[in-house]
C-alpha cells in the first residue's frame, strides 16, 4: 500500500511540475501571438514568417536523434568525453537522462547542478530538482529513493507544427518510430518511470495556438487524442 501511495505521489508531483512549466510555455506563446497581431514581430518571429517552407521542414535541423535508443555505454562515453558542456540544460542533454539514474550520475553526465524544490519534495523519499534550461525553459527532475523517476520540460526547443494530414494516419498502438516517420519528431517532454509499470514518454506538437501531447507507453502510442475544433 505504501509503495502505491509513493508512486501516486511521484505521478502527481510530475504532473504539477510539467504543468507549471507548460503554463509558462503557453503564456510565452500567447504573448508572442499578441505581438504578431500588433505587427511588432521580434527578429526570430520575422525570420520564421519570412520562410516559404513547410513548418515540418523548417525545423528539421533542430532534431538530431529520432529515438531515445542510447545504450548505457553511449551515455557513459558521453559523460567521459571531451565534450564542452553547456552552462544550461539542452535538449541533447535532456534526452540522455534515463530512469534510475542518481543525482550524482545526472550531475556527472550534464555537469549541471539542480535546485532542490522543497515544496515539491517530501519525507517519503521524493526529491524534485529544477534546472536552468535554454531559452525560458526550466526542466524538472523528480527522484524517488535517490533514483530518477520522472523528467519534464517545455521550451528547450521550438515546438514543431503538427501535420493534420499525418495526424489522420495515427493509430493507437503505433510505435514511436512509426509516429515519427509520419509526423516528424515532436518536442520531447520527458518520461515517467516506476517499478512494475510501463515507462511513459511524451512528445508535443503545435496546432495553431494549441499544443497536442502524444503519450507513449513503453514506446507505443497510448491513444490518439481528439484535436481541438478551433
Amino acid at each position: 500500500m505504501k509503495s502505491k501511495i509513493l508512486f501516486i505521489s511521484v505521478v502527481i508531483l510530475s504532473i504539477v511540475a510539467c504543468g507549471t512549466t507548460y503554463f509558462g510555455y503557453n503564456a510565452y506563446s500567447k504573448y508572442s501571438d499578441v505581438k504578431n497581431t500588433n505587427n511588432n514581430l521580434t527578429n526570430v518571429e520575422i525570420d520564421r514568417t519570412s520562410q516559404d517552407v513547410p513548418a515540418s521542414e523548417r525545423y528539421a535541423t533542430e532534431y538530431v536523434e529520432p529515438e531515445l535508443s542510447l545504450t548505457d555505454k553511449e551515455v557513459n562515453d558521453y559523460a567521459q568525453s571531451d565534450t564542452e558542456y553547456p552552462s544550461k540544460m539542452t535538449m541533447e542533454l535532456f534526452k540522455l537522462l534515463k530512469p534510475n539514474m542518481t543525482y550524482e550520475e545526472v550531475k556527472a553526465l550534464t555537469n549541471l547542478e539542480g535546485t532542490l524544490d522543497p515544496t515539491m519534495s517530501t519525507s517519503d523519499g521524493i526529491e524534485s530538482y529544477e534546472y536552468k534550461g535554454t531559452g525560458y525553459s526550466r526542466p524538472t527532475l523528480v527522484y524517488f529513493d535517490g533514483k530518477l523517476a520522472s523528467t519534464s520540460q517545455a521550451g528547450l526547443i521550438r515546438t514543431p507544427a503538427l501535420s493534420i494530414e499525418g495526424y489522420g494516419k495515427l493509430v493507437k498502438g503505433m510505435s514511436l518510430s512509426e509516429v515519427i516517420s509520419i509526423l516528424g519528431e515532436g518536442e520531447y517532454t520527458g518520461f515517467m518511470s516506476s517499478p512494475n509499470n510501463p515507462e511513459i514518454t511524451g512528445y508535443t506538437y503545435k496546432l495553431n495556438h494549441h499544443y497536442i501531447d502524444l503519450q507513449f507507453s513503453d514506446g507505443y502510442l497510448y491513444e490518439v487524442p481528439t484535436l481541438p475544433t478551433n
Side-chain angles (χ1 to χ4, degrees):
M1 176 63 73
K2 183 178 180 181
S3 61
K4 261 181 147 179
I5 295 174
L6 291 177
F7 171 67
I8 293 172
S9 298
V10 171
V11 173
I12 293 173
L13 285 171
S14 300
I15 292 173
V16 172
C18 188
T20 301
T21 309
Y22 192 71
F23 175 79
Y25 193 20
N26 279 325
Y28 177 86
S29 176
K30 289 179 180 179
Y31 176 68
S32 296
D33 290 334
V34 171
K35 291 172 71 179
N36 287 346
T37 303
N38 294 329
N39 295 320
N40 293 322
L41 298 175
T42 65
N43 290 335
V44 174
E45 290 165 336
I46 291 173
D47 290 341
R48 290 180 61 202
T49 55
S50 64
Q51 297 182 37
D52 297 324
V53 295
S56 59
E57 297 178 13
R58 191 177 306 158
Y59 307 127
T61 57
E62 295 187 41
Y63 306 101
V64 180
E65 296 166 329
E67 292 189 59
L68 300 176
S69 57
L70 292 170
T71 65
D72 292 336
K73 181 179 182 302
E74 288 173 318
V75 172
N76 185 61
D77 288 346
Y78 185 92
Q80 297 182 10
S81 68
D82 294 328
T83 303
E84 183 178 349
Y85 288 102
S87 59
K88 298 180 180 180
M89 183 74 76
T90 63
M91 179 58 81
E92 181 184 18
L93 290 176
F94 189 72
K95 282 185 174 183
L96 290 175
L97 302 177
K98 285 189 171 184
N100 298 317
M101 279 184 165
T102 65
Y103 178 86
E104 291 303 320
E105 287 174 331
V106 170
K107 180 180 176 181
L109 176 66
T110 64
N111 201 38
L112 298 173
E113 288 274 12
T115 301
L116 181 65
D117 183 353
T119 65
M120 298 288 288
S121 303
T122 72
S123 59
D124 294 324
I126 297 175
E127 293 183 322
S128 178
Y129 288 86
E130 185 180 85
Y131 289 76
K132 291 182 179 180
T134 53
Y136 52 88
S137 61
R138 292 292 183 269
T140 299
L141 277 58
V142 178
Y143 296 81
F144 177 60
D145 283 346
K147 302 292 185 180
L148 188 57
S150 73
T151 63
S152 60
Q153 76 79 30
L156 284 179
I157 59 173
R158 192 182 301 279
T159 308
L162 178 70
S163 164
I164 297 297
E165 180 182 357
Y167 197 81
K169 300 177 182 178
L170 297 185
V171 177
K172 178 180 178 179
M174 276 186 169
S175 69
L176 174 59
S177 59
E178 289 177 312
V179 172
I180 289 178
S181 69
I182 295 172
L183 296 180
E185 186 177 2
E187 179 185 3
Y188 174 58
T189 55
F191 68 78
M192 183 182 299
S193 177
S194 63
N196 305 317
N197 287 285
E199 181 179 329
I200 306 299
T201 55
Y203 287 82
T204 297
Y205 298 82
K206 188 174 183 181
L207 178 63
N208 299 323
H209 304 302
H210 301 281
Y211 292 89
I212 311 302
D213 299 314
L214 300 184
Q215 302 295 322
F216 294 82
S217 176
D218 279 343
Y220 293 91
L221 186 61
Y222 180 70
E223 65 179 359
V224 181
T226 303
L227 294 179
T229 55
N230 59 342

